[in-house]
Amino acid sequence: MKKLLILLFLLNLVTGNSHSIEPDVFVQSTVNRASEILSKDISKEEKINQLKVIAKETVDIRGVGFYSLGSARKDLDDNQKNKYLEFFEDYFLKSFSSRLSEYSNPKIDVQDKDVLNKNYTIVKSVLVATSERPEIKIDWRIYTKNPDNPLIRDLIIEGLSLARTQKEEFASILNSNDGDINALYEALEKFANN
Amino acid sequence: MLKKLTILLFSIFLITFNANAGSDGELALEKNKSEVQNTRDCFEKLNRATFAFNQGLDKALIKPIAEGYRKLPDNVQKGTSNAVRNLSTLITIPNNVLQGDVKTAIINTARLAVNTTVGLLGTIDVANKMGFPKYEKEDYGQTLGKWGFGPGCYLVLPVLGPSTIRDTTGSFANIMGGDPWYNASVHGNNEFLSEGLYITSKGISGIEFRANNIESFENLEENSIDFYASVRSLYLQDRENKIKNNQRGNIDVIYEDDEDWEEIENK
């Protein structure tokens, strides 16, 4: 009986922790996957397509989408929200992967992490300097509510938050169009189809 | 004299306007909100028109010059970059003092002395090689921010680009006696220095910045659905970091007064 309990305890330990991923390990593994793609001798389009797969798996696209919408999301009904998320995902994947595809063979070193609370950890990293550009500091805001499946919610490059920039960009479009969400749909769709 | 008086009056107007337009009539000493939230785009239509003009100027003139600059030998580019940065120390030092950071002012004075002499007029960053701490530029806009002045309205200046009422006011301090390089070259009565040399040095500084950011700007423009709004956001975030001396962004500053993340659950 005692042996059985020990066995069950050990099994619980193994299965209970086997999927938990530390945020810094998650970031390093994600950037290694991205680096591998960017170093490949394939076309830019192929790189973008492969990066989109990584982004879908590792970024909380839904969370970033709603954050970017700001307080405007409170005025949307469920149908509008779903429609927005469809447009946003296409826009985000194209924008995110296009930005990354400009870098060839980037080397990112994870240096440290700062646990903010149970939901968030900031992982600190640097894009290692080359002869053409200086070192660039990149911080990753990782959503850790589900420790088994951490997700990226923001990239802070040299202190500049991409999510915040995107949020202000969307707010500007909504403000210029009297808060009409259709104007934002149109802008997102136009970007994704270009 | 009349020119200086006009500039002084204009600066006072800007500061006053900053207090009124930037905070709905309240004093502009807003310390508890972030720069981006404090800053309103009061002149958005005019700003967008100026932004479009600047983009046209950039495509026609500035970017091609910056691309040409990048073709210069690396050591020429490095030397120019060092010299321009060395000149900026002349503005940084008084601002270190005004911000109460006397220790950094002393370090920067030593840096200026070493680089200007041993470093051949600043073309070689000898101080860096000697292990001086990393150089951080400071300006009068940052000092006003440090003193508690809010940014006021966002402005896009012709040729010069993004700014705020506070930062533009700060820039006037340079030609009101706050920039020793301006004083020496324009009013120095010196046969080696002239107003033309001052303008050239500022022009090179701008070209050098543009040359270092060709790909970044292209990437940002290509991946923005409102390029104007992206540039505005990045400028204001950057200024906020500089005023608060955040080396890599402070999470409390970036998401200040921002509960939006907390409401979003991942499903």
Side-chain angles (χ1 to χ4, degrees):
Chain A
M1 184 63 187
K2 193 180 169 188
K3 277 190 178 177
L4 183 67
L5 280 173
I6 291 168
L7 185 65
L8 283 173
F9 176 71
L10 287 174
L11 269 174
N12 181 49
L13 271 183
V14 171
T15 53
N17 292 325
S18 62
H19 300 297
S20 181
I21 307 166
E22 285 299 310
D24 49 348
V25 175
F26 162 71
V27 169
Q28 189 68 69
S29 129
T30 304
V31 296
N32 288 348
R33 286 172 66 194
S35 287
E36 199 181 313
I37 291 167
L38 292 166
S39 312
K40 282 183 188 171
D41 187 19
I42 52 175
S43 70
K44 190 179 169 186
E45 282 64 37
E46 280 178 272
K47 285 182 184 176
I48 288 175
N49 287 335
Q50 293 187 25
L51 288 169
K52 280 181 180 176
V53 174
I54 296 181
K56 271 188 178 178
E57 289 171 16
T58 57
V59 180
D60 179 10
I61 298 175
R62 183 180 175 279
V64 177
F66 280 140
Y67 173 80
S68 304
L69 201 49
S71 58
R73 72 173 177 273
K74 290 167 190 161
D75 303 326
L76 302 185
D77 60 34
D78 285 347
N79 283 339
Q80 286 175 312
K81 279 183 184 171
N82 289 335
K83 193 173 174 185
Y84 165 74
L85 284 176
E86 274 177 37
F87 284 125
F88 180 79
E89 181 166 319
D90 290 344
Y91 153 80
F92 179 83
L93 289 173
K94 185 178 177 188
S95 168
F96 188 78
S97 47
S98 300
R99 280 175 209 258
L100 284 181
S101 67
E102 298 296 328
Y103 296 97
S104 56
N105 199 13
K107 187 173 182 323
I108 293 181
D109 283 343
V110 170
Q111 296 181 319
D112 197 8
K113 64 177 171 181
D114 186 5
V115 180
L116 299 182
N117 51 48
K118 71 177 174 58
N119 286 348
Y120 289 110
T121 294
I122 302 294
V123 175
K124 296 177 178 183
S125 69
V126 291
L127 178 62
V128 177
T130 65
S131 56
E132 289 164 2
R133 56 164 169 72
E135 177 185 282
I136 298 172
K137 299 179 186 77
I138 304 176
D139 293 346
W140 309 69
R141 185 179 172 94
I142 307 298
Y143 185 57
T144 50
K145 188 164 188 182
N146 177 0
D148 297 345
N149 184 29
L151 291 167
I152 298 163
R153 276 199 160 174
D154 193 9
L155 255 67
I156 302 154
I157 301 169
E158 290 285 328
L160 309 174
S161 156
L162 287 188
R164 188 169 181 173
T165 306
Q166 195 165 260
K167 185 183 178 188
E168 279 147 20
E169 205 180 354
F170 286 14
S172 178
I173 289 171
L174 289 169
N175 288 340
S176 311
N177 292 280
D178 298 322
D180 182 6
I181 190 73
N182 291 306
L184 185 57
Y185 292 161
E186 204 178 306
L188 294 174
E189 191 178 23
K190 192 177 161 194
F191 179 89
N193 293 335
N194 263 348
Chain B
M1 181 62 192
L2 185 65
K3 189 178 162 191
K4 278 199 170 181
L5 186 66
T6 310
I7 292 167
L8 181 67
L9 287 173
F10 186 60
S11 300
I12 292 169
F13 164 76
L14 284 176
I15 285 278
T16 312
F17 187 79
N18 187 15
N20 292 328
S23 56
D24 285 334
E26 292 171 13
L27 281 177
L29 295 166
E30 300 186 58
K31 291 180 179 173
N32 298 323
K33 286 186 180 174
S34 70
E35 293 272 304
V36 183
Q37 285 165 328
N38 269 340
T39 313
R40 290 187 301 160
D41 202 344
C42 320
F43 315 109
E44 187 170 346
K45 278 188 180 169
L46 179 63
N47 282 342
R48 281 188 185 268
T50 313
F51 185 77
F53 167 78
N54 286 350
Q55 273 190 289
L57 185 71
D58 182 65
K59 284 193 173 78
L61 192 67
I62 299 171
K63 191 178 168 195
I65 295 174
E67 284 168 338
Y69 176 85
R70 288 246 296 235
K71 288 178 183 155
L72 293 171
D74 284 350
N75 54 355
V76 174
Q77 286 186 55
K78 186 78 183 160
T80 310
S81 169
N82 286 340
V84 165
R85 209 161 55 137
N86 190 50
L87 283 175
S88 78
T89 323
L90 289 163
I91 298 177
T92 297
I93 294 165
N95 281 289
N96 289 144
V97 174
L98 290 170
Q99 291 174 29
D101 192 355
V102 178
K103 185 183 165 193
T104 308
I106 293 168
I107 292 169
N108 282 335
T109 305
R111 183 196 313 275
L112 176 71
V114 169
N115 284 347
T116 307
T117 52
V118 188
L120 306 175
L121 297 176
T123 51
I124 305 165
D125 192 352
V126 180
N128 185 41
K129 289 177 180 146
M130 287 168 68
F132 274 56
K134 193 181 169 217
Y135 172 61
E136 299 291 344
K137 276 186 193 174
E138 296 287 345
D139 59 47
Y140 291 99
Q142 283 168 254
T143 298
L144 287 172
K146 199 88 175 173
W147 287 353
F149 285 95
C153 296
Y154 177 69
L155 282 181
V156 180
L157 302 173
V159 186
L160 300 175
S163 187
T164 59
I165 299 278
R166 180 195 56 211
D167 294 341
T168 304
T169 306
S171 301
F172 278 115
N174 294 335
I175 50 173
M176 297 284 295
D179 179 1
W181 172 235
Y182 176 83
N183 299 339
S185 49
V186 179
H187 303 299
N189 198 20
N190 185 317
E191 62 180 302
F192 299 109
L193 304 175
S194 66
E195 191 166 8
L197 185 63
Y198 176 79
I199 292 168
T200 304
S201 69
K202 290 291 166 188
I204 290 173
S205 174
I207 294 297
E208 199 240 342
F209 173 79
R210 186 67 184 91
N212 286 336
N213 291 285
I214 289 176
E215 289 79 13
S216 314
F217 281 5
E218 274 174 4
N219 198 321
L220 184 66
E221 188 171 3
E222 271 174 29
N223 293 296
S224 296
I225 50 175
D226 185 346
F227 185 42
Y228 167 84
S230 290
V231 171
R232 181 181 61 196
S233 173
L234 292 171
Y235 173 78
L236 295 173
Q237 287 184 59
D238 184 51
R239 289 300 288 175
E240 181 161 29
N241 285 333
K242 283 179 174 159
I243 288 165
K244 294 181 176 169
N245 290 327
N246 293 325
Q247 296 299 317
R248 56 191 308 163
N250 181 328
I251 212 73
D252 295 331
V253 172
I254 292 172
Y255 303 112
E256 205 167 18
D257 298 333
D258 196 336
E259 299 299 320
D260 275 2
W261 282 119
E262 300 312 321
E263 297 171 15
I264 300 164
E265 291 292 316
N266 182 264
K267 285 179 184 170

